[in-house]
Amino acid sequence: MTLKRRREGPSAGFRPSIDPSSAAPLPRQLYLLLRNAIAEGRLTTGQRLPSTRLASTEWKISRGVIAEAYEILIAEGFAIARQGSGTYVASSIPDGAARIDQLGGKGAHPIRRSVSAAATAILTRGPSLEPQKALPFVTGRIAHDERTARLLNRIAARHMNYAFEGYGDTQGEKALRAAISAHLAVSRGVRCTAEQVFITAGTQQALDLAFRVLMTPGDTAVVEDPCYPPARQCLALNGINVVGLPVDRDGIDTERLIAGAMPPPSAFYVTPSNQYPVGAVLSLSRRLGLLAYAEENDCWIVEDDYDSEFRYQGHPIASLHGLDKANRVLYTGTFSKALLPSLRIGYLVVPADLVDAFRAVRPAVDRCPPTFQQRVIADFLEEGYFPAHLRRLRERLRASRDMLAGYLIERMAEHIQVLLPDQGINLTAKSTGSWSSDSAVSSAALKRGVVVMPLSRMNVISTDRSRLLLGFSALSEQEADTGTRLLAEVFRCKEFVDN
């Protein structure tokens, strides 16, 4: 008996160029190559594609990868499967089909695309936040505590079997909100109930939620100058105009407000307990003046108390929220610095009469916070581990602060004046006059593997370019020694050009 030999179609000559080193999965690479060949007419309508067995032999690709690529082509209408016959290029290509780059980059004929004015403004101010390398003086690093790590792992094991649960409470787990309310009452003088607390994905989401609910695009917010950049970006994305007030040793200067030199804003964004990035503490007289102004002019105050747990001298400073008698202050904090950034747990305390508004808006931003992390932190707080953890962490941070300050003074007193903070995990160094561009110093230091942040990038209207920010959390003695030697070489060798 003579067997009929199935004739190969023109598509048998197609040879895809697969890149094994690419991050793109092999099925997607093959699918894109086939799709582009169809869109360009190199594989014409009605042509039979090679069988997976033949293609595997010719293309040196597994049959499973080929079958998956074919399935995607069929699902998107670029190919059809005929029972017992094979896979064929569709007789009509889907409307709008065009060649796309293999890795999703720009094609030969890029389409003009636009983004919002706010996004464009943020892009022009500098790159977005990215994971920081563990270089000396990077801000925001977390000091590892072995005892706390063991406790968190043990608590986490209790809550692993939660997969069959549905969505959680819009505001967050009641147990965590109650634990936070109790902690804030003792440590920060914040007067609130669990019903006023919203659990958020860190401080940033808390700020975004507050600005969305309190303000309308076109409103004005007053911020400190210099100001925490992500807070300004959040305001911009919500269409809010930003006005900066200068910061001195007593915090944000409220004299212009009291003198009536500017119209009342809709809201203030402030970091009164440890101004970021300068490190000033808002004086009691200015706190009371700001609260009185907000009450008289119907303004909101968003208080960012991002690292209030780390105070090294004296008693903790009273929060604005604790002094507020008119319910004008919304208070936000985070566990990112005190525990782990990767937990993504922060909180926002709102006035009781605004709870309904926040509950209505919250699902549009984020339906509910993650249950697992909340339960772990709730148990950690309820079982009394947090105070001891903070005591250990404060002592380590105090030692790191003093060590870094000592090295800086010893090796660079000619070039910088160290401003020793009473609170927080960063310190500021100010020029003695030997240099005048913090961004130039920062760029030169980075080339040597040292991160010092120029405060001028955080200016609102200020022209001060004489200050640098250095982080000391999780700083080892070796890093401090090596990092300050490298930074001293930058100043000594004049490896920067003031501009």
Side-chain angles (χ1 to χ4, degrees), residues 46-101:
Q47 280 189 12
R48 180 178 179 275
L49 297 176
S51 68
T52 57
R53 185 185 300 277
L54 176 61
S56 178
T57 301
E58 295 293 330
W59 300 347
K60 310 302 180 186
I61 304 172
S62 74
R63 293 181 66 184
V65 168
I66 297 165
E68 188 174 342
Y70 282 5
E71 287 173 4
I72 300 174
L73 286 172
I74 293 168
E76 294 195 357
F78 288 91
I80 58 174
R82 295 177 183 170
Q83 187 69 28
S85 178
T87 303
Y88 293 79
V89 177
S91 58
S92 60
I93 298 175
D95 292 340
R99 186 188 191 283
I100 56 177
D101 186 74

Side-chain angles (χ1 to χ4, degrees), residues 201-416:
T203 299
Q204 197 63 21
Q205 189 182 62
L207 296 179
D208 182 58
L209 184 59
F211 298 149
R212 286 175 187 267
V213 174
L214 300 179
M215 308 182 77
T216 300
D219 283 354
T220 297
V222 167
V223 303
E224 301 156 325
D225 185 14
C227 177
Y228 178 53
R232 287 182 62 193
Q233 294 168 356
C234 186
L235 286 163
L237 287 171
N238 281 287
I240 309 303
N241 300 315
V242 173
V243 173
L245 282 182
V247 172
D248 59 25
R249 60 183 300 173
D250 291 323
I252 190 171
D253 185 358
T254 57
E255 297 302 319
R256 287 182 59 195
L257 297 171
I258 298 172
M262 58 185 295
S266 296
F268 293 88
Y269 166 73
V270 290
T271 54
S273 297
N274 183 32
Q275 199 279 329
Y276 189 91
V278 174
V281 175
L282 189 63
S283 65
L284 180 59
S285 62
R286 288 188 180 180
R287 288 170 187 251
L288 296 175
L290 181 59
L291 289 170
Y293 181 91
E295 181 179 2
E296 292 169 7
N297 294 278
D298 196 25
C299 308
W300 296 109
I301 301 174
V302 178
E303 178 181 12
D304 185 353
D305 211 13
Y306 64 98
D307 64 358
S308 60
E309 295 89 356
F310 309 126
R311 184 160 183 81
Y312 309 115
Q313 276 84 31
H315 297 289
I317 311 258
S319 66
L320 271 179
H321 191 283
L323 298 172
D324 178 26
K325 297 179 181 178
N327 293 322
R328 307 305 305 175
V329 178
L330 289 84
Y331 179 94
T332 181
T334 179
F335 291 99
S336 293
K337 305 296 187 295
L339 286 175
L340 291 170
S342 57
L343 288 171
R344 302 311 306 138
I345 296 293
Y347 47 88
L348 176 67
V349 179
V350 308
D353 60 339
L354 294 184
V355 169
D356 288 345
F358 276 85
R359 280 189 66 89
V361 173
R362 172 63 189 269
V365 178
D366 179 23
R367 184 162 183 173
C368 65
T371 303
F372 175 68
Q373 291 95 314
Q374 292 183 80
R375 292 182 178 177
V376 173
I377 297 179
D379 284 1
F380 191 78
L381 268 61
E382 287 178 339
E383 294 171 21
Y385 298 124
F386 198 42
H389 164 75
L390 290 178
R391 284 195 295 272
R392 294 193 301 272
L393 195 53
R394 270 194 295 267
E395 289 308 309
R396 290 184 60 183
L397 291 171
R398 184 205 305 269
S400 294
R401 178 201 65 173
D402 295 346
M403 173 180 63
L404 175 57
Y407 277 130
L408 291 172
I409 293 170
E410 175 187 343
R411 294 169 178 172
M412 282 163 274
E414 179 184 350
H415 302 286
I416 59 173

Side-chain angles (χ1 to χ4, degrees), residues 133-272:
K133 295 181 179 179
L135 297 175
F137 318 137
V138 164
T139 60
R141 291 171 62 188
I142 302 303
H144 179 74
D145 184 87
E146 187 60 40
R147 188 180 308 178
T148 295
R150 288 197 301 268
L151 289 168
L152 289 174
N153 285 329
R154 190 175 74 195
I155 294 171
R158 303 173 191 167
H159 300 292
M160 288 302 295
N161 188 25
Y162 70 102
F164 295 103
E165 298 182 10
Y167 291 103
D169 191 306
T170 294
Q171 285 185 237
E173 291 286 291
K174 181 68 175 289
L176 178 57
R177 290 188 281 123
I180 289 173
S181 175
H183 167 68
L184 293 178
V186 173
S187 64
R188 305 297 297 126
V190 172
R191 297 170 287 106
C192 69
T193 65
E195 284 66 35
Q196 294 173 253
V197 179
F198 283 75
I199 306 302
T200 62
T203 299
Q204 197 63 21
Q205 189 182 62
L207 296 179
D208 182 58
L209 184 59
F211 298 149
R212 286 175 187 267
V213 174
L214 300 179
M215 308 182 77
T216 300
D219 283 354
T220 297
V222 167
V223 303
E224 301 156 325
D225 185 14
C227 177
Y228 178 53
R232 287 182 62 193
Q233 294 168 356
C234 186
L235 286 163
L237 287 171
N238 281 287
I240 309 303
N241 300 315
V242 173
V243 173
L245 282 182
V247 172
D248 59 25
R249 60 183 300 173
D250 291 323
I252 190 171
D253 185 358
T254 57
E255 297 302 319
R256 287 182 59 195
L257 297 171
I258 298 172
M262 58 185 295
S266 296
F268 293 88
Y269 166 73
V270 290
T271 54

